[in-house]
Amino acid sequence: MNDGDMQSAEACERAYIGLGSNIGDRERFLTEAVRLLQEHPQIHVTGQSALYETDPVGYTDQAPFLNMAIEVTTTLSPEQLLEQLMETERQLGRVRDIRWGPRTIDLDMLMYGDVRRHQPELTLPHPRMHERAFVLIPLIEVLELHHQPQAVPLRAFLERAEGKEGVTLWKKMQ
């Protein structure tokens, strides 16, 4: 099914995903995750931020992260999209042994349309994104690509977020 078929067959939702990596070839893990998501017939990557190198948060005794955000359109439900994100993490060798610890890849669903969820397996919007500059900076960038109104209130959160000095532009993407 091509993108036009996907959009006409079912209603598409716009979702935003935060990506991070701090083990091995960090850039390769990020670009491979984007590629794997794009290959899914019900996910279309419609925007991506630059790559940012960021200091670790929480568990700080680890290497710096590369972080980015992407915008996707999808006909998957939030739960199905979360399942696909977790499958992509598994394919790229993600191991969950230390909370906020080192990882080959981390994929977090930040927002999914206007959906609000508070379930053990999925909270939307992401409950801590407003506190984290390493999430807000690339998310605002990708929101502004398509002039999404959510960027305006998130900028106010960014002004108050801690750790902005630990987030530096690493590489612009094409």
Side-chain angles (χ1 to χ4, degrees):
M1 178 183 308
N2 69 34
D3 186 43
D5 293 338
M6 180 177 79
Q7 291 186 10
S8 62
E10 300 178 54
C12 278
E13 283 291 343
R14 193 179 308 255
Y16 296 89
I17 300 163
L19 298 86
S21 175
N22 77 333
I23 294 177
D25 186 342
R26 302 172 301 168
E27 182 179 0
R28 185 186 67 77
F29 281 118
L30 294 174
T31 57
E32 188 67 9
V34 173
R35 185 189 65 76
L36 289 169
L37 291 171
Q38 178 68 31
E39 285 182 352
H40 191 284
Q42 291 176 276
I43 299 172
H44 181 67
V45 177
T46 53
Q48 66 183 53
S49 72
L51 299 179
Y52 293 87
E53 188 166 63
T54 64
D55 293 339
V57 173
Y59 179 70
T60 58
D61 187 21
Q62 59 182 318
F65 281 82
L66 282 186
N67 289 99
M68 67 181 296
I70 61 173
E71 174 189 81
V72 302
T73 55
T74 185
T75 54
L76 298 174
S77 70
E79 292 77 14
Q80 291 169 323
L81 181 57
L82 177 63
E83 189 175 302
Q84 188 58 45
L85 296 180
M86 291 172 55
E87 175 57 28
T88 301
E89 288 182 343
R90 278 190 291 277
Q91 289 177 339
L92 294 175
R94 167 79 188 260
V95 177
R96 296 175 185 271
D97 54 358
I98 300 173
R99 183 176 175 140
W100 298 319
R103 60 205 84 164
T104 56
I105 192 72
D106 182 33
L107 303 174
D108 288 325
M109 192 180 332
L110 304 174
M111 298 185 299
Y112 181 100
D114 294 328
V115 171
R116 303 269 185 250
R117 289 265 198 299
H118 190 69
Q119 301 166 336
E121 66 280 355
L122 180 61
T123 301
L124 290 169
H126 191 284
R128 291 173 302 281
M129 74 176 189
H130 299 92
E131 305 164 3
R132 298 177 168 168
F134 70 87
V135 173
L136 289 171
I137 290 170
L139 176 59
I140 291 167
E141 180 183 327
V142 80
L143 283 165
E144 289 177 341
L145 289 174
H146 297 116
H147 309 289
Q148 297 298 316
Q150 303 98 315
V152 174
L154 290 177
R155 281 206 168 279
F157 283 108
L158 180 58
E159 293 302 316
R160 296 189 298 269
E162 293 183 25
K164 289 185 289 275
E165 65 283 348
V167 180
T168 56
L169 179 63
W170 194 75
K171 181 179 183 181
K172 292 259 187 201
M173 303 302 284
Q174 285 82 314

